[in-house]
Amino acid sequence: MPPRALTLFDFARSGGELHGRVSLPELHRLSELLSSTQGPPVQWALQGFQRERIGMRPQAMVTLQVRGALPLICQRCLQAMQYAVDETVDFRLVAEEPELTQAEIEAEDEALPAVHPVDVLTLIEDQLILALPIVPMHDVCPQRDAPEPTPSRTDEAPAEDRQHPFANLRDLLGDAKKKR
Ligand SMILES: [Zn+2]
């Protein structure tokens, strides 16, 4: 299990490294957003380091990597899908919640308040939740059990509906001509 209280400033200064696996049912907030918790455990790795800065003290950093396959329902074909997540994010450790300047908003790393020990499990879960797609969809939806050779009548109905306004317009124009 990922540590629930890790002093990240010390971890960064000592160049710490941790990695492991966490099973989906242990990630309660994430589980609520998944179609199932039947899936391989998420792999995670956390690495601490210090980023050298000219004329300043080194910036304490941690890199978090999460990798997994999350069970979701495709919103196009409504069948199960595995959404692959492979995210790496750099966190800049800060003393307190920063007031973000434009430069910080545009920065590639994120500021992480780390005066108090940080719950690494929560950090991992947050990254997985952020990685979820707004509308999950297969790249290419799998065929249903047996491919249908011809579209059924019901499949054609929407196309016929779309043509209606034009058909009506034609009738109206026809009526207009007759009246002239
Ligand atoms: Zn699909």
Side-chain angles (χ1 to χ4, degrees):
M1 276 290 277
R4 305 305 301 265
L6 185 66
T7 311
L8 285 184
F9 275 109
D10 292 346
F11 184 77
R13 269 193 284 270
S14 63
E17 277 189 50
L18 283 172
H19 61 92
R21 289 158 176 255
V22 58
S23 64
L24 295 179
E26 286 170 296
L27 300 162
H28 302 291
R29 284 179 299 132
L30 177 70
S31 293
E32 285 178 14
L33 305 171
L34 302 179
S35 61
S36 130
T37 52
Q38 303 280 317
V42 170
Q43 295 182 42
W44 62 272
L46 189 70
Q47 189 164 29
F49 64 102
Q50 300 208 84
R51 181 185 283 169
E52 297 302 329
R53 296 184 296 183
I54 297 165
M56 294 167 81
R57 283 193 302 160
Q59 170 67 57
M61 305 282 300
V62 292
T63 299
L64 175 67
Q65 189 177 15
V66 291
R67 191 183 293 174
L70 305 179
L72 294 172
I73 298 294
C74 169
Q75 294 305 297
R76 188 160 48 201
C77 69
L78 302 180
Q79 295 186 74
M81 63 177 282
Q82 296 270 319
Y83 185 74
V85 172
D86 189 351
E87 297 273 314
T88 302
V89 58
D90 286 339
F91 290 104
R92 190 163 28 91
L93 304 184
V94 297
E96 52 196 299
E97 196 76 55
E99 296 213 359
L100 292 180
T101 63
Q102 192 58 35
E104 278 171 328
I105 291 166
E106 288 167 5
E108 284 181 18
D109 49 39
E110 288 184 44
L112 177 67
V115 169
H116 302 293
V118 168
D119 183 342
V120 177
L121 182 67
T122 298
L123 210 56
I124 291 166
E125 189 163 26
D126 286 346
Q127 281 312 304
L128 292 168
I129 290 170
L130 285 173
L132 288 176
I134 296 167
V135 182
M137 264 197 271
H138 289 112
D139 289 337
V140 177
C141 289
Q143 293 286 320
R144 294 260 176 202
D145 305 338
E148 293 176 36
T150 50
S152 67
R153 283 277 157 215
T154 46
D155 283 349
E156 278 175 356
E160 283 170 6
D161 283 346
R162 271 201 299 277
Q163 285 171 0
H164 261 230
F166 297 102
N168 286 341
L169 187 63
R170 240 177 270 130
D171 289 345
L172 288 172
L173 288 173
D175 288 349
K177 272 181 194 162
K178 272 178 223 157
K179 277 176 196 162
R180 222 181 271 163

